[in-house]
Amino acid sequence: MGRKYEILRLLDGSETQAAVQRESRGRILLAGLEGAGKSSLYNWLHACEVSPVDVMAETRKPAEEVLGLFTLLDLPEQDESPTRWSSYEPAPTMEGGHWGTEYGYSPDSYWHPPPSSLIPEAELVILVVDAEMGLTPGVFRWFCRLHARGQPLVIALNKIDCLDAGGVAQAQALEQRLAVPVVPISAREGTNVLEQLLPQVVSLCPSLLLPLGRDVPLFRAAAGRALVRQAALTCGLVGIEPVPLLDVPFQLAIEARLILQLAALYGRPPGERGGLRQEIVIALLVGVSLRYASQQLAKLAPMVGWLLSGLLSGGGLWVMGWLTLHYFEWYGRGKPALWAGRRTFAALPRWRRSEEQPEEAREA
Ligand SMILES: Nc1nc2c(ncn2[C@@H]2O[C@H](COP(=O)(O)OP(=O)(O)OP(=O)(O)O)[C@@H](O)[C@H]2O)c(=O)[nH]1
Ligand SMILES: [Mg+2]
């Protein structure tokens, strides 16, 4: 790689890329008793019918279904051992001398749920609870098991469309009782899912912001905006330091990382053939040069200058991040980039735009 690409190595460094790739992976366990609404929630988030929704919720299926970021886990209502059943749960019925013959299950397969040790690893657990059923002994037992594993846990109190007053009172009561966040939702209608449930997930486990944005198209733009906000805040704080130019490497690193994160969010990994290397450099050069010039000037005046510098830093990154976000947003839709910088540089001879653009984008 020639000298002119050295700056690319700095900005598009493999360490930053690897860190962003690590951030892009994650796992969320979507657990709940049968019929609680796991499949409905997954399908609503992904705007398609991927996981079958059962009208006959008691139908038995494999306990675990891995779908990208989410692992759907059916939790049987009954405890692991029939001998441990107590008076509040009915004993299994015998059908003509056979156990559960209508479903074709033997006592072993029918009554043995996955042991706790087989619950898949995840960064966070969403326990889906049927609001109409409430906190049954079965739900409570599984809650205790999942909670004891130490991963962050949020309860999605589902089917609130069937309750009066949106299930707010039930959610509060459950939250007080179990001391974990409870979000009332309707998986069927999508009520509170994007507005409350996913933000709650991210606040419990911030590293899931990027994977969630990647996996859930409806949440992508919100995740992008949150990433831009976080980076702008960090950049603003770094920009307050008083020594001119000392902050520049840090600012560049924050900026490059943000672009890599946004690229990962929209499934455009830098470094791929015809990838984003040039775009990263253009973003950094165009967005940064004006900002740093004014910032370094501002540092000549103490106190006010430092604050001004921090504001310029954070504000500049916010504008650049916002433009980048829109660029990816439009690029993903196959439309021409809105970003003026891209158009300017599109005329450069080394710009291998034709190799990387989707067919519709080239036609547009
Ligand atoms: N009213 C209402 N019904 C819902 C809601 N979410 C799910 N249901 C219904 O509840 C039933 C079970 O939903 P599923 O999404 O299949 O539940 P599940 O947890 O995946 O069930 P299993 O895969 O059998 O464990 C279906 O009839 C859904 O239509 C909701 O928010 N409101
Ligand atoms: Mg299901």
Side-chain angles (χ1 to χ4, degrees):
M1 196 179 272
R3 184 186 276 186
K4 61 184 167 184
Y5 284 124
E6 276 174 18
I7 189 167
L8 297 187
R9 267 214 299 270
L10 173 74
L11 304 176
D12 190 3
S14 54
E15 273 179 38
T16 315
Q17 267 194 56
V20 169
Q21 267 166 16
R22 267 198 308 279
E23 270 179 52
S24 312
R25 286 191 288 268
R27 189 150 292 282
I28 294 175
L29 191 60
L30 198 53
L33 296 192
E34 295 184 350
K38 304 172 292 291
S39 300
S40 301
L41 178 57
Y42 181 90
N43 290 342
W44 189 87
L45 283 171
H46 295 82
C48 57
E49 292 291 314
V50 177
S51 183
V53 172
D54 299 316
V55 178
M56 291 289 290
E58 64 272 28
T59 305
R60 289 277 169 167
K61 297 191 307 299
E64 187 185 323
E65 191 179 8
V66 180
L67 293 169
L69 171 65
F70 292 89
T71 301
L72 277 60
L73 186 69
D74 288 349
L75 303 175
E77 170 89 36
Q78 289 80 18
D79 207 338
E80 283 165 16
S81 157
T83 57
R84 284 168 56 195
W85 289 1
S86 54
S87 53
Y88 52 70
E89 282 179 67
T93 52
M94 301 279 279
E95 300 281 334
H98 300 286
W99 294 72
T101 45
E102 73 268 41
Y103 302 120
Y105 286 95
S106 69
D108 281 350
S109 65
Y110 192 85
W111 297 113
H112 281 238
S116 306
S117 59
L118 289 186
I119 296 174
E121 289 298 322
E123 270 80 47
L124 178 135
V125 181
I126 300 177
L127 179 60
V128 185
V129 175
D130 186 334
E132 286 186 301
M133 308 274 287
L135 189 65
T136 62
V139 173
F140 186 68
R141 264 198 301 270
W142 279 113
F143 164 77
C144 294
R145 284 186 192 131
L146 293 166
H147 197 232
R149 287 156 63 90
Q151 297 145 344
L153 187 147
V154 56
I155 292 183
L157 192 63
N158 190 28
K159 307 190 187 180
I160 56 160
D161 50 302
C162 300
L163 301 181
D164 297 332
V168 176
Q170 287 90 334
Q172 281 173 353
L174 202 55
E175 198 163 274
Q176 276 189 347
R177 186 160 169 202
L178 300 179
V180 294
V182 178
V183 183
I185 65 160
S186 167
R188 184 181 276 176
E189 293 169 8
T191 315
N192 296 343
V193 174
L194 290 180
E195 305 82 359
Q196 291 184 26
L197 182 62
L198 297 192
Q200 182 63 256
V201 164
V202 171
S203 81
L204 286 175
C205 190
S207 64
L208 283 172
L209 179 62
L210 189 48
L212 255 182
R214 272 175 73 106
D215 198 81
V216 179
L218 293 170
F219 189 58
R220 199 163 290 153
R225 285 196 298 274
L227 287 170
V228 172
R229 266 199 312 274
Q230 285 169 9
L233 188 67
T234 318
C235 216
L237 290 175
V238 170
I240 292 174
E241 67 79 29
V243 184
L245 297 176
L246 187 65
D247 56 338
V248 171
F250 297 101
Q251 308 269 13
L252 282 173
I254 295 168
E255 208 146 326
R257 186 182 175 80
L258 175 64
I259 295 171
L260 289 169
Q261 283 177 322
L262 294 179
L265 193 64
Y266 284 87
R268 298 262 299 129
E272 64 181 11
R273 191 164 177 268
L276 294 168
R277 287 168 185 271
Q278 293 97 329
E279 287 155 299
I280 288 173
V281 175
I282 291 159
L284 292 173
L285 294 183
V286 173
V288 170
S289 48
L290 267 176
R291 180 154 58 88
Y292 287 130
S294 48
Q295 207 182 323
Q296 300 317 320
L297 279 179
K299 288 197 171 170
L300 298 178
M303 298 301 280
V304 181
W306 301 339
L307 281 178
L308 197 60
S309 157
L311 272 177
L312 283 171
S313 241
L317 186 79
W318 185 82
V319 171
M320 198 215 67
W322 186 84
L323 287 172
T324 312
L325 193 59
H326 277 73
Y327 164 65
F328 284 125
E329 186 80 358
W330 282 87
Y331 191 95
R333 293 180 201 164
K335 300 214 171 120
L338 283 183
W339 191 10
R342 180 177 167 82
R343 291 194 176 155
T344 311
F345 280 80
L348 289 180
R350 289 191 64 80
W351 190 252
R352 290 175 304 172
R353 183 180 177 149
S354 57
E355 284 176 35
E356 64 191 69
Q357 278 208 343
E359 205 57 46
E360 320 86 86
R362 280 206 295 275
E363 284 163 13

